Structures are given as structure tokens and as C-alpha cells.
Amino acid sequence: MEAAIDRIMMTYELLLNRSATASAEARAKVTEYVTTLFEAGEKDMHRLTVCGLTYLRELDGSSNSVKAGYTGL
């Protein structure tokens, strides 16, 4: 599980240039989320990684096209 969290954070930090504090907060949140998934029975590292990245992108709004700046024009 720790390997999945490390992979999530490495990929997420490549996508967004964030401060050390913001990265630490993101790591704490995704660790809690991935732990929940792991305890619920998800053991596949690749699925945990994708779910964790999706979770972080939802938190920061980058998966929302309107928040990301798309206006439809």
C-alpha cells in the first residue's frame, strides 16, 4: 500500500507544482483514502494508484472542466 501512495504522490507532483505544505496535506488525505480502499479489500496497486490520483484531482478541482477553465466556447 505504501508503494501505491508513493507512486500517487510522485505522479501528482509531476502534474502540479505545489508547495511542500500542500504536498504534505495531499499525502495525508490520499493516505487516509487509500487505506480505506485497502481495508475494504482492494489490493491491486495499480487500481489503488488510479483511484488515489482521481481522488486528488477531484479534491483540487482539476478533473472538473469548469474549474479547470473550460467555458464551452
Side-chain angles (χ1 to χ4, degrees), residues 10-46:
M10 181 181 68
T11 305
Y12 190 63
E13 289 169 0
L14 288 172
L15 295 172
L16 296 171
N17 187 13
R18 301 173 55 99
S19 69
T21 304
S23 290
E25 289 175 11
R27 185 178 191 89
K29 288 178 183 179
V30 80
T31 298
E32 184 178 330
Y33 180 71
V34 170
T35 300
T36 301
L37 293 176
F38 188 82
E39 289 174 351
E42 183 57 68
K43 306 295 187 216
D44 185 283
M45 186 180 89
H46 299 294

Side-chain angles (χ1 to χ4, degrees), residues 12 15-16 53 56-65 67-68:
Y12 190 63
L15 295 172
L16 296 171
L53 283 168
L56 287 178
R57 291 192 68 206
E58 287 177 3
L59 283 180
D60 71 20
S62 61
S63 63
N64 183 332
S65 58
K67 286 183 181 179

